[in-house]
Amino acid sequence: MQIKKIAFREWLILSILLLALTAALSLFRLTERMDLVMYDRIMQINTQPARDDILIVAIDDYSLAELGRWPWPRAYHAKLLSQINAAKPAAVGLDILFTEAEAVIDTQQAGGDQQLAEAIQQSNKVVLPLVSESAGKGLTTAKPVPILANAARQLSHIHLELDKDGIARSVFLREGMQGEWWPHFALAMKDVGQNIAPGTEKYLPGVQLSASLRKAERSENSWQRDFQMHIPFAGSSGHFQSVPYVSVLRGEVPASLLQGKYIIVGPMAIGMADSYPTPVTGNEGVISGVEINANILASLLNEKAIQFALPWQIAIWNILVLILALIAYQFLSPRKALISTIAMILLCLAGSLALMRWQAYWVPMSPAVIALLLAYPLWSWRRLEAAIKYLAAELTLLEQEPHLLPEFTDDEEGHAINLTDTLEKSIQDVHLAANRVRDLRQFISDSLASLPDATLVTTTDGNVLLSNQAARAYFAGIGQPKVNDALVPYLFANMSAPANFDHTDGRNFSWWDILDIKLTKIMSQGFEVRDPRGQDLLIKSAPAYNADKHLVGWIVSIVNITAIRAAERSRDETLHFISHDMRSPQASILALLEMQKEPQTALPTEEFMSRIEKASRITLGLADNFVQLARAESQDYRYEEVDFQDVLLDATEEMWSLSRSKNIRFKMQIPEQEYLVRIDRALMTRVLTNLISNAIKYSPRDTTINCSLKLERNLADVSIICSIQDQGYGIARSEQSKLFQRFQRFKANDQPKNDGVGLGMVFVKAVLDRHYASIDFVSAPNEGTTFHIRIPGIIV
């Protein structure tokens, strides 16, 4: 949170400063020269096709060479107008000043002004120019001589507006003095061509003066201007179609080329024409005034002039672009922020070009470009400064924390730590801190993985983030292979509810309770449930907090206590056995002793001793079974390498007398070879004697017990299979699953009583398990039982 506050504060301060700078640059036009340069470059790109109804009759070098030096007799102009009038043009503009009467040199030139006036009057479509001049007493209007001025359809000014850099970019469509206004030369030609009375134009572009300024009285030497129009230059010099003056004069130009055209007659010869630099001519080139007028005329005919945005509009456009970039800085990485900055600069340029091309609307974006060029390095600097300052403070706090794991630093890292550069040192400190975090995370992961109990780490809402292998294996075993990203209550949904878990408010137990902070004390102690496989589990949960003591998740452990509960049940069964089965013969002995004290209840000595012996043997047998079972379940095994057929023979020899008493025969099927195994010989002998003893006890007289050995070889190991088959009473199918459980005794109605206590087969199973051996059997009532022991052998 702290670094976010620092970064936001730095961003806010920088944003305010940059926005203020952008507003100042826009409102006070401090980037005007840069804007004009950009304006000129866009204008050079944004060229338009020349109108085919505008034709320039050029007083060029070729015409001067043919007709002689300037000025020419005005009879030439009269003749030129006659040629043009015959072709019926739309309008004719003579971009030539006739402010003085023609000097009479000889009689041949007499009446030149008269001839020109007659030609102008005959055309009734001619526009003549005028200019303002200073004659020592202030500004005056230099009009054509009266005879020509009276003959012209309209008089017009030919002034251009030069900006601070001397480039002509605009023109005032109306100028005048002392309440008399004249249209611009191009506007007058349009009015003549479209037969529009001056002052009634429907389309008159440009910035108009307020009514109060237009009506205000001016001094007699004050020159007034109105409707400033920025010229959308269609092209540079030579863009519009032109023909030489002398060619038209001689009739060499076909009338079809002149018909219906707006014809501008004016000088274009080098050194004669009034030429000006314009946006489309570059920094060094110039374009003649005639061609500038052609561009203005084309703009008016197209009704398309460039509109300059007002300072407040410029400020809004530039500020919006800057705000977008500044907002992007809050969400983007430094690399992406740089790309976005470049993109925003290109967007500014492209936007200006697009608005100019399709809307003829000029919005200078230099303030935004300057602000963007400053914004990224300043923001990167401040963000880096804030990050370094914050990291330094956090790393100092980290250094004060105890280091839980040992750290190893080689010589190279030691040298890197001693660097004096602040950034390098911060990077190295972060590198060391990151290594500590990685080491700690690995330590935690390894610790979690090595926990013997299934453990889950969840979010505050119970979504599993981490789980160890024990947890994944357990849930996979109950049919839930996906643990991570699962919700803990759903993982436990198929388990039984705890038996003794009651809410104080009477609510029923819910698995969401293990994520209830109010039940932390109960959940830390754990509660017992049973899973779908019948296993007994102890479920515990504990909250996990971060350094600020905020709850960030839960640690849930699942302890399998099936063995513990089985041991407890076995203990209970044992206690029950001791209190009943072992107590009974001891009580019988005490009762016999009490009876023997009284002569009237005393038994004969032989019968008395027989009963005492029987009860004692029962007690001794029970004690021996317990001792043997305890040894089978202990860790004290003495393994040795023996031949399993010797063990089998020892067991049959030990049971010979018992089998003899029931006339039961042993049939041995042992192929001649070695059956080497590694076993505890005494315990394994007892296993076989238990099985043979049961075969004898649960078989009728005059039967046979088959004992066999078989060696089974596989690719990588060898197994010894020992089979013991009797012809006894068999075991009912309903009782076969209980064979290896404690204190289970089986007896059919037609078989004799047996004094066993049900520990013999438990002993057998315990010993075989410790030898990684297995036992199975096949049995059916009155068909006998066959036991198969499979024990790992030794490869010879």
Side-chain angles (χ1 to χ4, degrees), residues 168-224:
R169 298 184 180 87
S170 63
V171 65
F172 286 90
L173 295 181
R174 292 195 180 278
E175 293 189 7
M177 63 185 302
Q178 297 179 358
E180 188 177 7
W181 294 87
W182 295 281
H184 186 269
F185 184 80
L187 178 60
M189 287 191 66
K190 177 190 175 185
D191 290 347
V192 170
Q194 296 181 355
N195 199 24
I196 299 173
T200 63
E201 298 90 353
K202 294 182 179 179
Y203 174 75
L204 196 61
V207 180
Q208 185 179 9
L209 295 176
S210 63
S212 60
L213 290 177
R214 289 201 308 273
K215 295 178 180 179
E217 291 187 2
R218 305 282 183 168
S219 63
E220 62 180 14
N221 292 329
S222 176
W223 190 264
Q224 303 172 25

Side-chain angles (χ1 to χ4, degrees), residues 45 56 66 79 108 118 172 185 249 380 383 412 440 473 477 604 623 633 713 725 746 794:
I45 297 172
I56 298 175
E66 291 294 316
K79 184 179 179 181
Q108 292 181 354
E118 291 175 356
F172 286 90
F185 184 80
L249 184 66
S380 298
R383 181 160 58 176
E412 271 186 37
L440 185 59
E633 293 176 345
R713 295 182 181 274
Q725 180 183 19
F746 311 110
I794 298 176

